Amino acid sequence: MKVDFAIVGGGLAGGLIALALAKMRPELKIVLIEQGDSFGGNHIWSYFASDILPEHRWLTAPLVTYGWSGYEVRFPAHSRSLENIYYTIESERLDWVLRHNLPASAMMLGREVKAVSPRLVVLDGAQRINAGGVIDVRGAGDLNHLDCGWQKFTGQLMQLSEPHNLTKPIVMDATVEQYDGYRFVYVLPFGMDKIFVEDTYYSDTPNHDPRRLRQRLAEYADGKGWKVERVLREENGVLPVVMGGDLESYWASGSGRTAKAGARGAFFQHVTSYSLPDAVRNAIFIAEQPDLDGDKLNMIMRQRVQEHWQSGKFYRMLNRMLFRGAEASERYKILERFYRLKPGLIERFYAGKTSGGDKARILSGKPPIPIGRAITAIRSKKK
């Protein structure tokens, strides 16, 4: 099989690249390869309108299933409503949009990838795909090369017997009892009587017990007076919150000299671990390249992730303060203080566009943790 470009991995990053190429480079013969039976897996992705440049919003607009004019955060000593528009994409919608925008010949589902190189993909059964270029977006590489804390979660879409009366998302509800690091509950109101509730932890370990988190979700719903008729879907995940590490070794661990994007290429917001804004930027960037030769694309994407890593230095420092400068049960105070800052600063932070003035403001004033511990945390490195 011969194609102009092969995308290995049909999740969010791979799907966006395929959609961008289909729109901007329709002359190219592409193929999107996914091990599962559908594109996107079982995921819900959310983002702020300010995360995406206005000229790039055409790429995400067809994927959005819900949107709200603002959101809330709740902490023990501070609650607040903010007006930034918030959107959600469900994996089922990504799958539908891909199937309706790509030709049948461009979609390969249920296929296991055995090997990749800059111009070749080998599938199960020894089938070979010869391509002008290949990009690998199959998920994280070897995280042992990175110094990580962990964001882990269990989320459930609940069908309620009565309306929940929420009109906007609660992005962080940290009024809950603190366990296993910084804990908060994330709430998305889907319609009048459906609600997505996620129990999330910024933890020192990746150990994840969905059974226990399901119990806490049920307790949270019960505490809100929500009568749950049934759970419509469940999502579990463990994401790295990067504090440092060896970027070159991480890049090499994920298929060597082949171009990479998404988590495979270390393209994510270092504090939130969210990958959608970078996935959009990379999809447009790749589609704009005049030459998608595999070797050239690897060099370009490698330079791009080095720039991304350099721009993330401040965020990785904040992660070290969160994980190593604060007692686990006190971590919420750092976020509580952050959400007292100006809305524009918060928007730029989520978009990964924090300015020099923003950085100074985030670090100024009385710190929520002892200054000595903060300095020790900033200087810490993985042993």
Side-chain angles (χ1 to χ4, degrees):
M1 183 176 179
K2 292 185 178 181
V3 298
D4 295 309
F5 195 67
I7 305 162
V8 183
L12 178 66
L16 288 171
I17 293 169
L19 291 171
L21 288 171
K23 179 71 173 181
M24 299 171 64
R25 305 289 298 277
E27 76 280 4
L28 296 180
K29 183 179 180 180
I30 68 171
V31 63
L32 177 62
I33 307 161
E34 167 57 34
Q35 185 174 2
D37 296 327
S38 62
F39 297 113
N42 173 34
H43 293 289
I44 290 176
W45 302 280
S46 297
Y47 66 99
F48 296 102
S50 55
D51 291 344
I52 310 297
L53 292 173
E55 60 267 31
H56 293 171
R57 291 174 186 170
W58 62 267
L59 183 56
T60 54
L63 304 174
V64 171
T65 51
Y66 294 94
W68 303 269
S69 59
Y71 67 99
E72 296 180 29
V73 292
R74 299 177 181 177
F75 293 89
H78 175 66
S79 294
R80 186 180 188 184
S81 293
L82 295 106
E83 296 183 354
N84 199 358
I85 297 172
Y86 199 58
Y87 293 116
T88 283
I89 295 171
E90 294 176 284
S91 51
E92 295 87 350
R93 179 65 182 176
L94 175 63
D95 181 75
W96 187 92
V97 171
L98 283 165
R99 292 175 188 268
H100 284 76
N101 284 272
L102 300 181
S105 61
M107 297 180 286
M108 299 187 73
L109 288 161
R111 300 302 302 271
E112 182 179 356
V113 174
K114 296 295 187 180
V116 299
S117 70
R119 297 184 187 84
L120 177 68
V121 181
V122 181
L123 303 177
D124 51 342
Q127 181 180 358
R128 298 163 66 88
I129 298 175
N130 294 296
V134 175
I135 192 160
D136 190 351
V137 285
R138 285 178 292 174
D142 186 353
L143 292 170
N144 290 313
H145 294 294
L146 301 179
D147 182 9
C148 300
W150 305 94
Q151 181 191 152
K152 52 195 182 186
F153 57 87
T154 293
Q156 293 182 339
L157 179 59
M158 301 173 177
Q159 175 67 59
L160 307 181
S161 60
E162 299 175 356
H164 47 67
N165 297 321
L166 288 179
T167 59
K168 59 182 66 175
I170 307 171
V171 169
M172 286 185 180
D173 184 353
T175 62
V176 295
E177 189 169 357
Q178 296 294 297
Y179 299 104
D180 194 16
Y182 169 48
R183 178 195 178 206
F184 64 91
V185 176
Y186 171 68
V187 182
L188 300 175
F190 288 0
M192 293 179 61
D193 58 357
K194 287 196 301 183
I195 195 159
F196 182 75
V197 187
E198 184 178 279
D199 198 15
T200 305
Y201 301 77
Y202 273 61
S203 173
D204 296 323
T205 72
N207 303 331
H208 184 225
D209 184 357
R211 178 192 57 80
R212 181 172 296 177
L213 270 60
R214 290 184 195 115
Q215 180 180 349
R216 290 175 184 165
L217 285 170
E219 292 170 354
Y220 184 84
D222 186 62
K224 298 296 182 183
W226 299 332
K227 305 300 181 183
V228 182
E229 287 187 348
R230 63 186 185 277
V231 174
L232 303 175
R233 69 184 295 166
E234 179 176 293
E235 179 180 354
N236 293 282
V238 179
L239 304 175
V241 183
V242 178
M243 296 181 280
D246 185 345
L247 177 64
E248 290 297 321
S249 295
Y250 178 78
W251 180 271
S253 75
S255 59
R257 297 183 299 106
T258 305
K260 287 168 277 290
R264 194 82 163 186
F267 288 102
F268 38 68
Q269 212 278 13
H270 286 90
V271 175
T272 65
S273 300
Y274 293 165
S275 59
L276 189 146
D278 284 300
V280 172
R281 288 190 282 263
N282 280 332
I284 300 291
F285 175 80
I286 290 166
E288 289 175 339
Q289 298 307 302
D291 187 352
L292 291 176
D293 170 80
D295 287 321
K296 291 181 180 178
L297 187 62
N298 177 57
M299 292 176 61
I300 292 170
M301 295 305 292
R302 185 172 176 178
Q303 179 180 353
R304 190 167 171 84
V305 77
Q306 289 170 341
E307 294 169 355
H308 178 70
W309 184 264
Q310 181 62 30
S311 69
K313 185 177 181 179
F314 176 75
Y315 303 109
R316 295 193 299 277
M317 179 196 70
L318 294 181
N319 288 340
R320 293 195 295 275
M321 290 178 63
L322 178 66
F323 282 91
R324 294 179 179 151
E327 294 288 348
S329 62
E330 301 290 310
R331 288 175 186 168
Y332 75 90
K333 293 181 180 180
I334 295 178
L335 280 301
E336 188 174 65
R337 178 183 181 275
F338 173 78
Y339 272 104
R340 293 180 184 273
L341 301 176
K342 291 182 178 180
L345 181 152
I346 295 171
E347 291 179 11
R348 292 188 292 274
F349 185 90
Y350 273 103
K353 301 296 182 181
T354 300
S355 68
D358 292 340
K359 295 174 183 178
R361 181 66 188 89
I362 290 170
L363 296 176
S364 66
K366 183 180 178 180
I369 60 176
I371 188 65
R373 292 182 60 181
I375 293 172
T376 300
I378 289 170
R379 293 175 175 174
S380 68
K381 293 183 179 181
K382 186 178 181 180
K383 295 180 180 180

